[in-house]
Amino acid sequence: MINIIGFDAEFAIKEILELSIHRIEAPRDWTNEGGKLPQPSEVFHQFFKPRTERNWRDSIRVHHITPRMVAHRPPISRFDKPLREIIGTADVLVGFDIKNDIEALKGEGYDCFDDKAIIDVKDLFWLLRGRFDNIPLDSRKGLEATAETLGIEFSGEKAHGASYDTLITMLAFGTLFEEYASKYPDLTLDKLISTYQEDWEKASDDYLREYAKGYVALIPAPDGYKIKSTRENHTEGAEEVIRVNARFRALDEIDAHFSKRRVSGKKTVYRLREEDLRWFRQYKNEYDGNERLHKDLHKLRMSTAI
C-alpha cells in the first residue's frame, strides 16, 4: 500500500494552533483503470497552545481561533510520538500551498520531510488546468476557487478550519490525480507519483524560463541614465535596449556593474560613460533558475545605496 497523507495547519503567527491530517491508503499497483482512489479519512486532529506566542490578532480574522480557545490545550510537543509516526510512515505528502505547512512543522522540530514525495494541489491544478487557461504561475487560484472549479461543494463558513480545509484539499487531490492518471492509464501509482514530479518540474521550469525573458533599457534622466526592465519591448524614451533571457538577473548584474556610477542622492540614476554604454550593448545572460534571488539582491543593494 502507498500511504498518502494530507494536512493543513492554522497558525498564530508562526506557531501552529490547529493541525489536521487525513490519509488515503491505496494499492501500489493502482491504475486509473481500477477506478477511483479511496476516500480520505482523518487520522489526527488537535488544537494546541503555542509555546511563546500569546497574541495573533491578524490571524484571528482568518481562522477565528482566539488565545482563550487554546489557553488550556496541550502544546504540540505532547503529540510528538504519534505525529512522527504518521509523518514518518507516509510515502506522499499532500497539501494546498503545502510549503507553508511544512515550514511550520519544521519550526516545531519535525524534520522528517526530505525523503517524501510532495504533491501540492495548487501545483497539480496548474499543471492540468491553469497553464492551459494562461493563468500565471504566481496568480493561481485559492482552495475555494479550485474546489468550485472541480465541482466540489465548498462552505465559506467552514473554511479555515484545519479539518475542513484538509478534507477539501484531499478531495481536490483525488479528483485531479485521477484526471492526471487518465493520461497514463498503464502506470501504477508508484510510477504515476514519480512521473508527476518530473512533469511538474519540467512544466514549471519551462514556464519560469519563458517568463524570465524580456528587455532592459537605459532611459536618459537628469545627470545620467535610469535602468528599466520589462517583459515586453515597450519602453518609451529609451536610448538603449537589449534583449535578455533573465530580466531580474540582468537587472541585478547590470546594477552591480554600474554601482560605482550611481549618482549621489539619486540611487536610481547612473552617470555612464561611453565605455559603460558599450559594455551594456554587449551584455548577455542565461536563465539560471534564481530570478527571485537576483530580484532580492538587487532590492537589497538599492536599499543600502546612498
Side-chain angles (χ1 to χ4, degrees), residues 27-39:
R28 290 186 178 273
D29 60 356
W30 180 91
T31 65
N32 187 256
E33 293 181 350
K36 294 183 174 296
L37 285 169
Q39 289 294 297

Side-chain angles (χ1 to χ4, degrees), residues 53-70:
E53 296 172 356
R54 295 293 177 263
N55 194 323
W56 48 86
R57 292 179 182 175
D58 291 341
S59 301
I60 289 174
R61 298 189 185 100
V62 177
H63 51 54
H64 308 298
I65 303 172
T66 67
R68 179 176 294 182
M69 290 170 61
V70 296

Side-chain angles (χ1 to χ4, degrees), residues 143-212:
L143 179 59
E144 180 176 1
T146 299
E148 290 176 349
T149 300
L150 297 174
I152 299 170
E153 185 177 349
F154 189 92
S155 169
E157 294 180 358
K158 296 179 182 179
H160 300 297
S163 287
Y164 186 75
D165 284 1
T166 307
L167 174 61
I168 297 299
T169 296
M170 291 298 272
L171 293 176
F173 162 76
T175 299
L176 288 167
F177 198 78
E178 288 162 12
E179 180 180 329
Y180 178 75
S182 69
K183 300 177 181 296
Y184 303 97
D186 298 327
L187 296 187
T188 61
L189 187 54
D190 249 340
K191 186 60 177 175
L192 277 168
I193 291 167
S194 60
T195 301
Y196 159 74
Q197 292 180 306
E198 293 169 1
D199 285 351
W200 160 251
E201 288 174 8
K202 183 179 186 308
S204 58
D205 183 73
D206 287 349
Y207 174 87
L208 292 171
R209 187 179 298 274
E210 187 63 28
Y211 184 80

Side-chain angles (χ1 to χ4, degrees), residues 93-105:
L93 306 178
V94 174
F96 196 93
D97 215 358
I98 194 173
K99 64 181 181 298
N100 295 326
D101 300 297
I102 289 177
E103 288 305 312
L105 283 166

